């Protein structure tokens, strides 16, 4: 029985955990070029993340996704994957990554019990990819995608954040790349988290309706009811196994069916991506080490704080001051 039901009758089945706020990229929509990261002592330890995950699974969570920052820069993350992969009752263990570490780690991740990978890919043009990520190497990411395929993952999905005038001319190229690589792809509307100066979010916003219209000029999209417990709405193409997903926090608000909560790298249980409602679980674990029942009670009580919806706008205004890397994907 799932004990995690919020005040609006929604059942939480999906937990996203940020294992670090650090990243080897500096994507323009995610963080500032010069970042100050959390001191190590403020981060949850890997043991605390494992204990927290077990508590959530015992309360009914079926899926856990490890995020960052970039989770593969966290020392010891492979050991954490092995621990979570062994949790009784967890149906799916996933990770969101920028792909830069997959050539090195894909096999160990798969053998450790990781089922699914989401890999960020916003451009197939090396110079543009470098500009959007500030530090990323496109060839390394593509090699990582192929290493993940060879490692035998059940599902690999590319995530592309589209910015009008920046990379929206690559929509069909990205779809064709996903088809050629036999992976899925989701197109994501930019979320207004953190104050950035690199571009004006109001001017670069592109709705997924416009993206879908562009794709449908080349491929017929067939709606499906498939879900991975996340917010993507999936479509299929008659001549490909690759699915196309759309994540639309602005144009098609998915709050009514929200089944997710997040834990930040410093142990804050975030009840909504677009609100600041949260509970400090790190303080509970450190004040009462080993008291699983107290931890679970704190999690259950926190469900009452989950708001009905977020209020993202498309005018470029910042609703949330924290950056995406501090939130956890």
């Amino acid at each position: 029985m799932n004990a995690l039901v919020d005040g609006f009758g929604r059942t939480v089945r999906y937990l996203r955990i940020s294992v670090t706020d650090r990243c080897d990229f500096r994507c323009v929509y995610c963080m500032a070029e010069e970042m100050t990261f959390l001191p190590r002592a403020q981060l949850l330890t890997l043991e605390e993340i494992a204990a927290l995950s077990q508590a959530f699974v015992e309360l009914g969570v079926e899926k856990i996704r490890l995020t960052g920052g970039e989770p593969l820069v966290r020392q010891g993350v492979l050991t954490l994957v092995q621990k979570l992969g062994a949790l009784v009752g967890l149906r799916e263990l996933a990770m969101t990554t920028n792909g830069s570490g997959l050539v090195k780690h894909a096999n160990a991740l798969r053998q450790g019990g990781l089922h699914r990978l989401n890999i960020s890919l916003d451009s197939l043009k090396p110079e543009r990819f470098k500009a959007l990520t500030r530090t990323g190497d496109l060839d390394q990411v593509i090699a990582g995608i192929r290493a993940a395929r060879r490692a035998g993952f059940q599902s690999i999905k590319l995530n592309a954040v589209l910015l009008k005038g920046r990379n929206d001319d690559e929509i069909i190229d990205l779809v064709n790349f996903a088809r050629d690589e036999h992976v899925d792809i989701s197109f994501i509307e930019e979320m207004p988290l953190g104050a950035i100066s690199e571009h004006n979010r109001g001017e670069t916003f592109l709705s997924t309706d416009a993206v879908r219209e562009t794709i449908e000029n080349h491929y017929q999209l067939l709606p499906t009811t498939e879900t991975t417990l996340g917010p993507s709405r999936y479509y299929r193409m008659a001549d490909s196994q690759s699915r196309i997903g759309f994540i639309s926090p602005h144009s098609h608000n998915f709050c009514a069916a929200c089944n997710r909560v997040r834990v930040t790298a410093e142990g804050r249980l975030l009840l909504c991506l677009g609100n600041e409602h949260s509970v400090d679980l790190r303080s509970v674990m450190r004040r009462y080490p080993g008291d699983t029942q107290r931890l679970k009670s704190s999690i259950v009580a926190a469900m009452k704080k989950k708001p009905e919806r977020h209020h993202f706008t498309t005018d470029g205004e910042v609703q949330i001051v924290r950056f995406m890397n501090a939130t956890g994907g």
Side-chain angles (χ1 to χ4, degrees):
M1 180 178 176
N2 193 306
L4 303 181
V5 180
D6 71 8
F8 304 94
R10 297 170 299 193
T11 300
V12 171
R13 301 160 60 202
Y14 181 5
L15 171 66
R16 302 173 71 114
I17 305 175
S18 172
V19 299
T20 179
D21 64 331
R22 297 174 185 269
C23 187
D24 48 347
F25 289 5
R26 296 289 185 274
C27 295
V28 297
Y29 52 78
C30 181
M31 61 176 83
E33 189 165 8
E34 298 296 328
M35 291 292 295
T36 301
F37 296 108
L38 293 168
R40 192 171 301 277
Q42 289 187 27
L43 298 179
L44 290 180
T45 66
L46 297 180
E47 291 75 17
E48 286 171 334
I49 293 173
L52 190 61
S53 299
Q54 181 169 348
F56 269 98
V57 171
E58 290 176 1
L59 288 169
V61 159
E62 300 172 13
K63 176 177 179 177
I64 292 176
R65 176 175 297 279
L66 301 178
T67 68
E70 169 49 46
L72 292 180
V73 304
R74 176 76 189 258
Q75 189 172 1
V77 73
L78 296 178
T79 301
L80 177 64
V81 166
Q82 292 170 354
K83 288 181 179 179
L84 301 192
L87 285 177
V88 176
L90 184 64
R91 292 188 178 184
E92 185 176 305
L93 180 61
M95 178 181 286
T96 294
T97 173
N98 63 28
S100 64
L102 287 176
V103 169
K104 181 178 180 181
H105 296 300
N107 282 323
L109 289 169
R110 184 67 194 96
Q111 292 167 10
L114 197 73
H115 302 120
R116 292 178 179 267
L117 280 172
N118 283 6
I119 304 170
S120 300
L121 183 68
D122 300 325
S123 176
L124 294 167
K125 298 180 178 181
E127 291 305 314
R128 179 180 288 175
F129 185 86
K130 184 81 168 181
L132 289 171
T133 63
R134 295 194 179 104
T135 58
D137 183 303
L138 177 62
D139 288 340
Q140 184 179 8
V141 172
I142 291 176
I145 293 168
R146 291 171 179 165
R149 284 183 57 205
R150 290 193 300 271
F153 278 91
Q154 296 173 10
S155 175
I156 299 171
K157 180 165 72 77
L158 309 180
N159 282 343
V161 176
L162 293 177
L163 307 177
K164 186 186 295 183
R166 296 292 296 272
N167 63 343
D168 54 330
D169 58 332
E170 294 190 64
I171 294 170
I172 300 304
D173 290 340
L174 287 163
V175 170
N176 287 337
F177 178 80
R179 287 164 56 95
D180 291 343
E181 297 293 327
H182 306 286
V183 298
D184 298 335
I185 185 167
S186 280
F187 293 100
I188 306 172
E189 293 175 350
E190 183 183 11
M191 299 184 190
L193 274 69
I196 59 173
S197 58
E198 200 275 346
H199 62 272
N200 182 311
R201 284 176 168 145
E203 295 175 356
T204 58
F205 172 74
L206 185 68
S207 76
T208 54
D209 286 341
V211 178
R212 192 175 72 189
E213 184 177 339
T214 297
I215 297 170
E216 287 181 324
N217 288 330
H218 295 78
Y219 299 108
Q220 182 184 8
L221 297 182
L222 308 172
T224 78
T225 57
E226 297 167 40
T227 178
T228 58
L229 291 185
S232 273
R233 293 175 298 118
Y234 284 106
Y235 294 76
R236 285 197 175 272
M237 297 166 281
D239 61 342
S240 174
Q241 289 300 307
S242 296
R243 297 181 301 174
I244 296 179
F246 299 98
I247 300 178
S248 317
H250 297 284
S251 59
H252 294 280
N253 186 298
F254 41 73
C255 298
C258 184
N259 60 357
R260 298 170 298 284
V261 293
R262 290 167 167 81
V263 173
T264 68
E266 55 188 332
R268 195 154 52 102
L269 174 58
L270 198 65
L271 284 308
C272 173
L273 179 63
N275 287 277
E276 295 291 8
H277 303 73
S278 65
V279 173
D280 184 2
L281 295 182
R282 183 188 65 190
S283 66
V284 175
M285 288 189 287
R286 293 188 180 178
R287 187 174 181 183
Y288 305 100
D291 191 339
T292 303
Q293 192 54 51
R294 188 182 293 268
L295 175 61
K296 289 163 72 171
S297 296
S298 299
I299 294 169
V300 171
M303 294 301 109
K304 297 175 183 177
K305 294 179 178 287
K306 188 169 175 61
E308 184 175 13
R309 56 164 295 174
H310 65 242
H311 295 279
F312 288 152
T313 67
T314 59
D315 60 6
E317 289 296 316
V318 174
Q319 281 85 57
I320 301 296
V321 296
R322 57 181 151 77
F323 285 103
M324 196 70 184
N325 71 297
T327 301

